[in-house]
Amino acid sequence: MPGTTKPRTVRFTDLTLRDAHQCLLATRMRTEDMLPVCEKLDRAGFWSLEVWGGATFDTCLRFLREDPWERLRRLKAALPKTPLQMLLRGQNLVGYRHYADDTVSRFVERAAENGIQIFRIFDALNDLRNLKTTIKATIKAGGRVEGAFCYTTSPVHSVDGFVDLARRLEDMGCDTICVKDMAGLLTPQAAYDLVRKLKKAIRLPVHLHSHDTAGMAVATHLKAVEAGVDIIDTAASSMAGGTSHPPTETMAAILSAAGVETGLDLSLLTEVAEHFRKVRKTYKAFETDYAGIDPNVILYQVPGGMTSNLAIQLKEQNALHRMPEVLAEVPRVREDFGFPPLVTPSSQIVGTQATLNVLTGERYKVLTSETKNYLRGLYGRPPAPINPDVQKKAVSDEERVDVRPADLIPPEWEKAAADLGGRGGIAEDVLSYILFPKVALDFFDAREKGIPPEPLSAAAPEAASPGPIMAPSEFNIHVHGETYHVKVGGAGHPVGGRRPYFLYVDDHLEEVLVESLVEIVPSFAGRIDDSVGGVSRRPRAMEEGDVTTAMPGTVVSVKVKPGDTVKRGDTVLIVEAMKMENEIHTPIDGEVKAVHVREGESVNPDEVLVVVR
Ligand code: MN
């Protein structure tokens, strides 16, 4: 930079092993595809490597049948030099709810012990009370704290407000401050203004994390460097761009041409990018149409990952054509909810609620449990007050809380360890179980039996043949030398003569459209199937008291039994769809005549789940 004697230095954090494949490949990259390039990544000269946290923990357990802790240990062994970094959602850790302080402290302690040195910690609502325990635990474990605030735009957000957050994070004992622009909203000029003010107001190094969703990332990072940013986040060029990040090689070349030191070895970076170019091809099945550059993000403020989630939700409803309405509904719900930044888990809460508002044709007629909890204050304090009319509709005054949400959660470690019994002896297993109870138990099972992960390409649907009426509901199919575990999840309404079937292929939900040519009227129509897997042969909802679900999902809990008296609006079932719990209410007063579902079964819209008369 002109006028300085010492060349300016900007350091880089590589995100290829965490955020880049989370954005581009639905977080599916396997450890075996990371290890071969680690030696080069480790020598390339990065300030840190983000390799863990975010959604990687969940997908390791749920889809890859990998122990996330084992992944961390293997990466640490392969990357001994460069500090390893993780993304931690404050009191939510790497899950979707608030956990008790004892869980949070242990999680951080084990993460540090297994290899994480830098903890990037944030809260979806920027409620810094939700960072307290993780920051304390990180300092205790000898880790470095990177305090992050979520960047967003709204009538209640301003540069001065963000600077104030950064000052408070500095006071809480952070070592670096991160501007977390998860949606790629930060324009080059806004980055310049924000970083300049931050550099004046705080003494700590400033780290910028942004996405290329709107195609602005290279320019944004360059302006941030001009304003004095200390560290920037990039990904290997073959895993960069679109909903991912700016390319490392490009940013390094731009800065080096401007006389800025990066400490990076450009020839090694080329080899790293070449490795991921090859690897990426094998994950083709997980690439989406929504990973490219989309300037609409500036209008809707919907992060890339959220757009693809919304598309999946709508596809399950045969309502993909209603995407524009849902995207228009998102900012309205966000305003009602006090302008939360849209990031996990607030993005899922707002997104699912917007989808329900559109599909039911009435705002807040159906609320998810998460929406209810959010409106109660159980996620913390949003940046602005919640719309009082919406809040009143959902929760009573007595149900509302204003304390730090985790203050209401009793310790959970001892009970979880006891529940798990002999199944998982070590602390890491107990943590996996507390974070994702059902998924972790399935994973422990698969680990014991040596069941392989989901295949990298989806099974091609075979032509339907008129088979016997009693079709199996859970089976293995052997095709093209591969074996797939298939569980029939249920069927939806036929559209244009094609009926959607929801099949779990190695636990990955696939929609298969079947155009029926020969049909046999089953003699057991309307009877409830008792087989494992709960294949759907439930009657179609016809009457007002036939309780059904608005979203295909899995029954988490059955709240009533035959003979119970219920009032209109009472919760009779809880159904999980897209990681959100939806309360299913009875539309009329009456007596429960029949319950057609059990916990763990898959359900679809229009099926009668509970009969009230
Ligand atoms: Mn990100």
Side-chain angles (χ1 to χ4, degrees):
M1 296 271 150
T4 53
T5 46
K6 210 172 107 206
R8 166 87 191 283
T9 299
V10 172
R11 301 296 308 275
F12 283 52
T13 290
D14 175 83
L15 304 176
T16 316
L17 301 184
R18 204 285 297 176
D19 208 353
H21 75 103
Q22 182 169 329
C23 295
L24 299 176
L25 308 175
T27 334
R28 294 305 215 282
M29 199 184 286
R30 300 169 182 197
T31 308
E32 66 195 53
D33 285 326
M34 303 175 176
L35 292 175
V37 81
C38 281
E39 193 265 332
K40 286 181 180 124
L41 268 177
D42 204 21
R43 280 195 291 131
F46 286 104
W47 183 75
S48 69
L49 302 166
E50 190 187 67
V51 299
W52 211 61
T56 61
F57 195 97
D58 183 0
T59 45
C60 268
L61 288 173
R62 196 183 294 265
F63 302 114
L64 308 185
R65 303 233 166 82
E66 279 189 30
D67 185 338
W69 301 97
E70 177 65 14
R71 167 180 289 191
L72 177 54
R73 288 189 289 272
R74 293 176 77 190
L75 287 173
K76 181 65 197 166
L79 299 159
K81 250 175 69 184
T82 317
L84 300 190
Q85 182 174 323
M86 79 167 291
L87 180 68
L88 192 59
R89 303 175 189 132
Q91 204 75 21
N92 293 346
L93 298 175
V94 291
Y96 308 101
R97 66 168 177 93
H98 282 242
Y99 299 97
D101 283 335
D102 62 342
T103 299
V104 171
S105 303
R106 287 215 193 212
F107 184 92
V108 171
E109 187 255 315
R110 293 324 297 164
E113 183 62 33
N114 282 284
I116 295 296
Q117 284 141 289
I118 302 171
F119 292 76
R120 174 178 287 170
I121 308 173
F122 78 99
D123 175 66
L125 301 180
N126 286 333
D127 183 342
L128 300 189
R129 298 173 305 172
N130 295 333
L131 269 57
K132 242 176 56 186
T133 305
T134 34
I135 291 179
K136 235 176 83 186
T138 302
I139 294 169
K140 194 175 165 211
R144 276 191 266 166
V145 185
E146 181 158 289
F149 60 81
C150 298
Y151 175 81
T152 187
T153 57
S154 85
V156 301
H157 287 92
S158 66
V159 170
D160 290 340
F162 291 127
V163 169
D164 182 53
L165 280 171
R167 274 206 199 95
R168 286 159 59 201
L169 286 167
E170 185 172 44
D171 291 343
M172 287 169 86
C174 295
D175 300 297
T176 47
I177 298 294
C178 173
V179 179
K180 182 178 161 61
D181 173 30
M182 59 282 158
L185 298 171
L186 195 61
T187 63
Q189 191 58 46
Y192 184 85
D193 297 341
L194 178 57
V195 171
R196 250 188 103 82
K197 280 212 167 174
L198 284 173
K199 288 299 292 178
K200 279 188 190 140
I202 58 172
R203 292 179 306 275
L204 301 178
V206 176
H207 194 156
L208 174 61
H209 174 88
S210 182
H211 289 254
D212 193 37
T213 320
M216 303 186 291
V218 168
T220 297
H221 285 75
L222 186 58
K223 289 294 276 185
V225 170
E226 264 181 55
V229 85
D230 299 280
I231 313 154
I232 60 172
D233 279 7
T234 59
S237 58
S238 50
M239 289 288 290
T243 50
S244 180
H245 312 275
T248 310
E249 303 97 294
T250 310
M251 280 314 302
I254 291 173
L255 295 190
S256 127
V260 177
E261 296 267 359
T262 64
L264 290 171
D265 180 333
L266 276 170
S267 64
L268 272 178
L269 293 178
T270 310
E271 292 175 44
V272 168
E274 180 56 21
H275 168 81
F276 287 114
R277 196 181 61 78
K278 287 193 196 116
V279 161
R280 184 170 176 174
K281 284 185 186 156
T282 63
Y283 291 92
K284 224 174 164 171
F286 300 103
E287 302 253 5
T288 75
D289 294 342
Y290 294 94
I293 289 173
D294 180 11
N296 274 331
V297 70
I298 299 160
L299 193 62
Y300 297 121
Q301 307 215 340
V302 175
M306 184 175 167
T307 319
S308 45
N309 269 353
L310 289 174
I312 293 166
Q313 280 182 340
L314 287 170
K315 217 169 132 192
E316 283 176 354
Q317 296 294 308
N318 279 319
L320 196 55
H321 60 284
R322 304 194 72 177
M323 189 70 163
E325 288 167 81
V326 173
L327 285 175
E329 180 68 9
V330 166
R332 287 200 61 144
V333 174
R334 183 171 175 246
E335 180 172 354
D336 286 339
F337 285 14
F339 294 108
L342 294 180
V343 61
T344 304
S346 57
S347 56
Q348 281 88 340
I349 298 171
V350 170
T352 306
Q353 194 57 52
T355 305
L356 286 171
N357 285 359
V358 168
L359 293 185
T360 57
E362 188 187 325
R363 286 210 167 87
Y364 309 111
K365 183 183 167 192
V366 178
L367 298 173
T368 65
S369 309
E370 281 79 4
T371 291
K372 246 186 157 164
N373 288 339
Y374 178 94
L375 298 174
R376 285 184 62 195
L378 292 181
Y379 286 87
R381 217 175 276 147
I386 290 167
N387 178 337
D389 295 336
V390 174
Q391 196 165 32
K392 243 177 244 148
K393 201 168 169 178
V395 290
S396 66
D397 286 350
E398 302 81 69
E399 285 178 302
R400 284 166 53 183
V401 301
D402 199 35
V403 295
R404 184 186 72 114
D407 287 339
L408 303 168
I409 307 172
E412 49 198 5
W413 177 269
E414 295 300 335
K415 188 185 173 303
D419 279 359
L420 208 49
R423 295 200 60 186
I426 57 168
E428 282 80 355
D429 280 348
V430 178
L431 287 164
S432 300
Y433 173 69
I434 293 175
L435 282 155
F436 301 102
K438 193 183 168 312
V439 172
L441 288 178
D442 288 351
F443 166 73
F444 298 152
D445 239 15
R447 185 172 61 185
E448 233 165 77
K449 294 178 189 151
I451 297 174
E454 62 177 5
L456 287 176
S457 54
E462 299 288 282
S465 67
I469 294 172
M470 292 302 287
S473 63
E474 188 173 1
F475 47 93
N476 286 327
I477 57 171
H478 308 278
V479 61
H480 306 318
E482 295 256 33
T483 299
Y484 300 99
H485 175 251
V486 178
K487 197 162 134 184
V488 182
H493 265 319
V495 173
R498 292 178 177 184
R499 191 178 177 87
Y501 283 82
F502 300 95
L503 306 180
Y504 288 91
V505 182
D506 288 335
D507 283 338
H508 182 64
L509 186 62
E510 301 283 353
E511 185 188 12
V512 177
L513 296 177
V514 175
E515 189 179 347
S516 186
L517 303 176
V518 179
E519 280 207 2
I520 304 161
V521 179
S523 57
F524 45 81
R527 213 192 72 197
I528 300 309
D529 185 273
D530 282 319
S531 66
V532 183
V535 63
S536 162
R537 292 201 196 90
R538 298 182 192 99
R540 176 81 51 87
M542 309 284 270
E543 291 189 45
E544 217 199 335
D546 292 344
V547 181
T548 184
T549 171
M551 315 273 280
T554 308
V555 176
V556 177
S557 133
V558 179
K559 300 285 187 196
V560 291
K561 54 186 188 314
D564 285 357
T565 305
V566 289
K567 276 207 147 56
R568 179 174 182 270
D570 282 354
T571 304
V572 294
L573 296 171
I574 295 182
V575 171
E576 189 201 271
M578 291 301 298
K579 295 172 192 157
M580 293 282 114
E581 291 188 353
N582 304 282
E583 291 181 356
I584 310 292
H585 307 118
T586 164
I588 58 167
D589 295 348
E591 188 191 317
V592 175
K593 295 292 183 193
V595 176
H596 291 332
V597 285
R598 285 175 309 193
E599 285 175 15
E601 285 184 342
S602 303
V603 291
N604 287 289
D606 292 329
E607 290 172 0
V608 179
L609 308 179
V610 175
V611 179
V612 179
R613 292 289 184 266

